[in-house]
Amino acid sequence: IDKGNIEFAASTEVYGSADNQFSFSEYNGYLRLVTTTRDYESWEQSCGLYIFDEELNMVGHIDELAKGESIKSSRFLGNMVYFVTFRNTDPLFAVDASNPENPVIVNEVKLPGFSEYLHPYGDGLLFGLGYEADETDGKLQNVKMSMFDITRTTVVESPIPIPLIAEVVTARVGHIPSIRTKIGFSVIIPFFNLSPQLFIFNYPPKMRFCNSR
């Protein structure tokens, strides 16, 4: 795109399907995306991360992750890629993509249920909004909000499980409009180094979840 002129540059194909706009990211001249794929012989699902250069040549990938599961949410933060897969439990994967030709899983944590939306929250925190689920059959239960400490997820030599530093589970079972309508969700960073304030709208009764750090 140059001064309103649009020219075709390149095209490619990738295995699987993307979940939403948060499944894509362009960073330092590389296109990165996470997808859910399906083996059409066994019908088993799995997940993958694929990285392309400016000409859309694949330069790096990690595939066949979390067999039997699908991508539920993802978030690209600089060189780091975070994504959640789900069948009965919620693995949150942390991938270091600083070397696009060799992305590396540096950490993960498994919890009941899943986060269907991930949002950076302040410095070194990742907020997840989603649902609890039965670990035996994957049936959805209550609404769940989780806060993860992602400050140590780049230690490859001796990875420490991503710490869950806060979790709120409601007694209400149902749909959360803010998950699908991202304009109903915001993080406000105040002045004077105060703690960030996180607001979730469109979910009666109105809920407010604040960092206590």
Side-chain angles (χ1 to χ4, degrees), residues 72-74 84 90 113-120 126-132 142-148 166-170 174-182 184-186 198-203 207 209:
K72 283 297 183 181
S73 59
S74 54
V84 168
D90 160 12
F114 61 91
S115 296
E116 197 165 354
Y117 179 62
L118 296 173
H119 195 98
L126 186 66
F127 175 78
L129 177 63
Y131 302 94
E132 273 207 327
N142 303 324
V143 173
K144 180 175 73 169
M145 296 176 284
S146 307
M147 192 73 75
F148 300 96
E167 185 172 61
V168 175
V169 178
T170 76
H175 174 64
I176 313 173
S178 292
I179 287 181
R180 293 300 179 186
T181 308
K182 304 305 185 299
F185 181 96
S186 66
L198 183 151
F199 298 88
I200 301 173
F201 305 104
N202 299 329
Y203 175 51
M207 299 172 63
F209 185 83

Side-chain angles (χ1 to χ4, degrees), residues 17-24 34 71-74 116-117 179-180 182:
S17 58
D19 185 47
N20 54 33
Q21 70 268 34
F22 298 105
S23 300
F24 298 82
V34 291
I71 297 286
K72 283 297 183 181
S73 59
S74 54
E116 197 165 354
Y117 179 62
I179 287 181
R180 293 300 179 186
K182 304 305 185 299

Side-chain angles (χ1 to χ4, degrees), residues 32-94:
R32 308 165 307 171
L33 66 153
V34 291
T35 67
T36 299
T37 61
R38 183 182 295 276
D39 185 324
Y40 287 101
E41 293 185 0
S42 65
W43 290 95
E44 184 179 53
Q45 294 185 127
S46 62
C47 306
L49 165 68
Y50 303 90
I51 303 176
F52 300 86
D53 63 17
E54 292 182 344
E55 297 179 352
L56 295 186
N57 299 307
M58 187 186 298
V59 297
H61 70 281
I62 302 175
D63 55 13
E64 296 188 357
L65 287 172
K67 290 189 175 182
E69 301 181 1
S70 60
I71 297 286
K72 283 297 183 181
S73 59
S74 54
R75 188 57 96 161
F76 295 83
L77 300 176
N79 287 319
M80 294 300 297
V81 184
Y82 301 92
F83 57 92
V84 168
T85 66
F86 175 72
R87 181 171 60 183
N88 293 342
T89 58
D90 160 12
L92 169 62
F93 291 95

